[in-house]
Amino acid sequence: MSELTERPERSELSVRAAELDAADELAKLRSQFVLDDVVYLDGNSLGALPAAVPGRVEDVVRRQWGELRIRSWDESGWWTAPERIGDRIAPLVGAAAGQIVVGDSTSVNVFKAVVGAVRLAGEGRDEILVDATTFPTDGYIAQSAARMTGCTVRAVTPRDVPSALGPRTAAVLLNHVDYRTGRLHDLPSLTSAIHEAGAVAVWDLCHSAGALPVGLDEHGVDLAVGCTYKYLNGGPGSPAFLYVRRDLQDRFDSPLPGWNSHVDPFGMRSEYEPAGGAPRGRVGTPDILSMLALEAALEVWEEMSIETVRTKSLALTDFFLDCVAAYVPEGRVESVTPSAHADRGSQVALRCDDAREVMRRLIAQGVVGDFREPDILRFGFTPLYVGFGDVERAARVLAGLVG
């Protein structure tokens, strides 16, 4: 018997995990996903497959495309899918209907949002502030948007945004949750500071949509983008979404006008006139196969409160940190994820000297997280299908590898 299995903390934590799983009101949702005996803690990169998706995709391919063909744009609701699915995402990010359109990639939507934000800000404002810790693509897009609009870009940490704002600030692009550390940034206060400076707030929700309450309408966010293949479980490369606050929609000037966002798309007119409302964020023909796979994936959220999901998310990450503290030898790993609930997303990042090799071995032993340069073990907790027993097992296997 190993030293680890003899330690009393293990049995106590195993019992605690079983008790927490028995009391978990979300545990019933696990059966709505295609899962095996692997502990899957990488839903912050790619969510697990919802069981409803394969049958829906088969219907889309065989019947809607194979039999109805072109008729499906009307009869199967293909044409209205971007707004219809946007309205299904809206409650999960605290938005009323009619403000979200689904389509294109996150990067494309970031470009639309940042350029659109500069144009909303008006003349005399020629600086874009961007999160210095952002996912690299957001920074690349901001640089390109700056070249297109005659702006400069300045990278600052989110906590330094209030002091960096000024009369020249046009737009501020921030991540709601830091993709490396899992730090949750203060969207309400930062949005308020941006507005007080007369600038436009753009939020990237890739690591918060479907994991925690966002409150887009409540906090007056101007523009937001997010992916759907992480906590929303839409599938690899599933289309992203774009939020434009309702009172800004008639002034939102997209840098990518396309026939799908025209007020009369089938009029085929040479002059562009944008549609009203959320469709103004569309560009070209929607990717129907992945769009409708996402729609099927979102069915698991019916009658599900994002606040309930957040409560379990915090309980899972708390329990994981407790298990790591009990099982892993002191000094072997270090959490870089904030311990305070108000500052934590739905992931835990552990610094470890040989993180790449440790993660490779974890995956080989049935615990799937991911590695981020230079030394981060990253674990994402999707409350819809991750249980407390999974969490205890993950920490125990980790301890066996690094102990």
Side-chain angles (χ1 to χ4, degrees):
M1 183 176 293
S2 71
E3 178 185 352
L4 180 61
T5 56
E6 292 177 330
R7 294 168 76 174
E9 296 94 341
R10 179 190 168 185
S11 61
E12 292 169 5
L13 289 170
S14 296
V15 170
R16 184 177 162 200
E19 292 172 345
L20 289 168
D21 279 331
D24 177 19
E25 62 181 300
L26 299 185
K28 60 187 177 184
L29 297 178
R30 187 181 178 100
S31 63
Q32 296 188 39
F33 291 85
V34 178
L35 297 165
D36 48 26
D37 62 353
V38 166
V39 176
Y40 189 66
L41 301 181
D42 209 7
N44 53 332
S45 283
L46 176 64
L49 172 65
V53 171
R56 183 67 54 80
V57 171
E58 182 177 14
D59 178 70
V60 172
V61 172
R62 292 187 181 277
R63 183 183 65 85
Q64 296 181 30
W65 179 16
E67 297 175 16
L68 296 178
R69 293 177 287 275
I70 196 71
R71 292 162 52 194
S72 275
W73 285 105
D74 292 321
E75 296 180 28
S76 300
W78 288 2
W79 185 259
T80 57
E83 293 76 48
R84 183 178 71 244
I85 300 171
D87 285 347
R88 297 194 78 156
I89 293 172
L92 303 180
V93 292
Q99 299 175 100
I100 293 179
V101 64
V102 173
D104 306 312
S105 68
T106 306
S107 301
V108 170
N109 282 311
V110 168
F111 181 70
K112 295 179 203 173
V114 174
V115 174
V118 172
R119 292 173 175 175
L120 284 169
E123 296 183 3
R125 293 181 175 270
D126 59 0
E127 182 178 70
I128 300 169
L129 298 184
V130 63
D131 185 344
T133 62
T134 192
F135 188 76
T137 293
D138 284 16
Y140 306 156
I141 294 293
Q143 291 284 352
S144 179
R147 292 193 297 272
M148 181 177 182
T149 58
C151 290
T152 59
V153 172
R154 183 153 56 109
V156 297
T157 63
R159 70 172 178 271
D160 292 331
V161 164
S163 61
L165 292 163
R168 292 179 52 197
T169 309
V172 182
L173 172 61
L174 296 170
N175 286 261
H176 196 191
V177 175
D178 185 290
Y179 79 100
R180 288 189 185 90
T181 67
R183 175 176 289 277
L184 173 64
H185 297 302
D186 190 345
L187 180 147
S189 67
L190 287 169
T191 300
S192 178
I194 292 165
H195 287 166
E196 288 178 9
V200 179
V202 181
W203 283 92
D204 182 329
L205 309 179
C206 284
H207 286 269
S208 59
L212 53 92
V214 177
L216 291 178
D217 286 354
E218 177 185 358
H219 303 302
V221 169
D222 302 302
L223 303 165
V225 301
C227 68
T228 62
Y229 48 79
K230 300 182 190 298
Y231 296 106
L232 296 178
N233 308 299
S238 57
F241 63 88
L242 170 68
Y243 165 90
V244 181
R245 200 177 72 221
R246 193 182 309 280
D247 62 310
L248 298 177
Q249 290 175 354
D250 63 349
R251 294 193 292 123
F252 178 68
D253 183 6
S254 173
L256 295 173
W259 78 285
N260 252 238
S261 62
H262 198 284
V263 68
D264 182 17
F266 292 98
M268 302 300 170
R269 291 185 287 183
S270 58
E271 296 297 322
Y272 180 73
E273 182 181 353
R280 188 174 288 211
R282 294 171 69 152
V283 183
T285 305
D287 184 343
I288 292 300
L289 297 183
S290 61
M291 183 93 60
L292 298 188
L294 167 63
E295 185 172 33
L298 291 172
E299 291 176 359
V300 73
W301 288 94
E302 291 179 0
E303 301 181 5
M304 180 53 55
S305 161
I306 191 65
E307 288 75 19
T308 300
V309 169
R310 174 60 168 168
T311 297
K312 182 178 176 182
S313 164
L314 291 171
L316 286 169
T317 48
D318 279 345
F319 188 56
F320 182 67
L321 289 169
D322 287 347
C323 291
V324 169
Y327 291 164
V328 178
E330 186 175 352
R332 192 64 181 86
V333 300
E334 174 195 1
S335 175
V336 297
T337 299
S339 58
H341 286 182
D343 300 327
R344 188 195 311 164
S346 198
Q347 72 180 55
V348 172
L350 302 177
R351 179 170 287 126
C352 180
D353 289 340
D354 48 351
R356 184 191 297 274
E357 176 61 17
V358 169
M359 183 54 67
R360 186 191 68 79
R361 294 171 64 196
L362 275 170
I363 293 171
Q365 294 195 28
V367 176
V368 178
D370 62 20
F371 163 76
R372 286 293 179 266
E373 294 284 358
D375 56 1
I376 296 296
L377 301 171
R378 198 176 68 151
F379 302 94
F381 298 82
T382 303
L384 300 182
Y385 55 76
V386 172
F388 293 90
D390 298 324
V391 168
E392 190 272 341
R393 176 182 162 192
R396 183 159 31 90
V397 172
L398 173 63
L401 291 176
V402 303

